[in-house]
Amino acid sequence: MVRAMTLAAAAMGGGCVNVTAPDKPIEINLNISVTQEVVYRLDNSAKELIKENPGIF
């Protein structure tokens, strides 16, 4: 049991990771074009209904 714990402790302490910052700044260029078109078309019967009942909206 002691031997297994010693091996586990050695395995956990064996790996080392070094992280360093880059020399140049990081550039992120986002060229996004968002176009949204909303088109409402009323047919003749809907236009007439609105004219006859202006209070519904």
Side-chain angles (χ1 to χ4, degrees), residues 17-48:
V17 177
N18 292 327
V19 178
T20 57
D23 295 336
K24 298 178 186 177
I26 298 172
E27 281 188 37
I28 300 174
N29 293 323
L30 298 175
N31 296 325
I32 299 173
S33 175
V34 177
T35 304
Q36 181 179 5
E37 291 184 25
V38 179
V39 178
Y40 292 101
R41 294 187 182 172
L42 297 174
D43 61 357
N44 289 334
S45 62
K47 287 180 186 177
E48 290 175 8

Side-chain angles (χ1 to χ4, degrees), residues 42 45-57:
L42 297 174
S45 62
K47 287 180 186 177
E48 290 175 8
L49 180 65
I50 292 171
K51 285 181 185 177
E52 291 173 4
N53 301 310
I56 60 175
F57 291 105

Side-chain angles (χ1 to χ4, degrees), residues 4-15:
M5 291 177 70
T6 305
L7 288 174
M12 288 176 24

